[in-house]
Amino acid sequence: MAPQNVEITVKKTERTDLPIPFGKANCTPGRLPDVQPATVVAHVRVGAEQEPRKVTFEIPHPDPLLTRLLHDECSEHLIKLAADIAFGPEWKRVGDAMHGTLVLTRRGEGAVTVHRIDGTTHYIAAPVTEGDPIAELDAAAPSIAAEIRLTPGRCDPHAFAEAKKAFLFPVRASVDRGEQRVVIVSPPKDVQDRLIHYALDVCGLPTS
């Protein structure tokens, strides 16, 4: 990432935590990259000094958090090179469940298989027809859709008040039946609003 001017004054304290953005992962086509050594470079002016001094902080290598973040982001990147995975626009209520589709659209080479869709803090997700795989986009096919169903996972009012990750659905997919990787799929805002209204109704909670 390019340098960012933060202009933070660190007083005489034993510890000060400064948030640092790490940017996007540098992913490689065809495989997961290895995490590389990383450093944080700061330009610091101490006391009455006129000119800042350059200070380099080395991050212990390999850092487990950076390794996990790189693996997660680049795993998703490899799937997205082959196909786009998204929720379809049409949803309908069937009993106490909402039925919709998970749509795979061709972007690159390889057969893309969706093995599983996991739920979130608020919704239980499952295919309408049980089986593995949920959907498989043949290497020559432009797109395919699989029917899925959502039901509320929690009905307490506190859950709806803290719905920060309610719509981040982990989808486990692979290219050419290789290693399964996780892609986070979120429905568009209008669908999210419909799903919240539906879940409140099923849970017997006020909808307005």
Side-chain angles (χ1 to χ4, degrees):
M1 294 188 67
Q4 294 187 352
N5 188 357
V6 291
E7 293 293 339
I8 295 175
T9 299
V10 180
K11 299 181 179 180
K12 291 183 178 181
T13 59
E14 292 186 3
R15 170 174 171 162
T16 299
D17 293 334
L18 306 177
I20 299 175
F22 50 82
K24 294 183 178 180
N26 290 322
C27 300
T28 53
R31 66 176 183 85
L32 291 177
D34 297 323
V35 67
Q36 300 298 313
T39 57
V40 175
V41 179
H43 297 270
V44 181
R45 185 169 56 247
V46 180
E49 293 178 350
Q50 297 298 315
E51 297 296 327
R53 68 180 74 176
K54 180 179 178 181
V55 183
T56 301
F57 302 93
E58 293 188 3
I59 298 175
H61 180 74
D63 179 78
L65 175 59
L66 292 181
T67 300
R68 179 174 63 82
L69 292 173
L70 179 71
H71 185 276
D72 290 349
E73 191 170 338
C74 290
S75 290
E76 185 173 2
H77 174 74
L78 289 174
I79 297 296
K80 289 182 175 180
L81 287 178
D84 178 64
I85 303 176
F87 288 110
E90 300 298 327
W91 290 81
K92 64 179 180 179
R93 182 167 172 174
V94 180
D96 286 341
M98 283 290 278
H99 284 215
T101 56
L102 192 66
V103 181
L104 283 67
T105 304
R106 169 69 53 203
R107 296 184 66 183
E109 298 180 354
V112 180
T113 304
V114 171
H115 301 270
R116 194 172 85 198
I117 178 171
D118 294 329
T120 68
T121 54
H122 284 65
Y123 297 93
I124 299 170
V128 171
T129 303
E130 294 292 338
D132 183 8
I134 295 175
E136 187 158 20
L137 180 66
D138 185 83
S143 66
I144 191 173
E147 288 189 87
I148 59 170
R149 63 193 298 269
L150 300 181
T151 51
R154 295 176 60 181
C155 279
D156 53 293
H158 177 73
F160 286 92
E162 298 294 330
K164 297 178 180 178
K165 296 184 178 180
F167 298 106
L168 302 179
F169 291 90
V171 174
R172 297 185 178 274
S174 65
V175 177
D176 293 331
R177 291 287 183 152
E179 180 183 352
Q180 293 187 25
R181 310 181 191 279
V182 175
V183 178
I184 301 300
V185 180
S186 297
K189 182 62 168 58
D190 62 322
V191 174
Q192 293 183 23
D193 293 340
R194 288 184 60 196
L195 290 174
I196 290 176
H197 189 276
Y198 142 79
L200 288 169
D201 182 59
V202 170
C203 291
L205 298 173
T207 57
S208 60

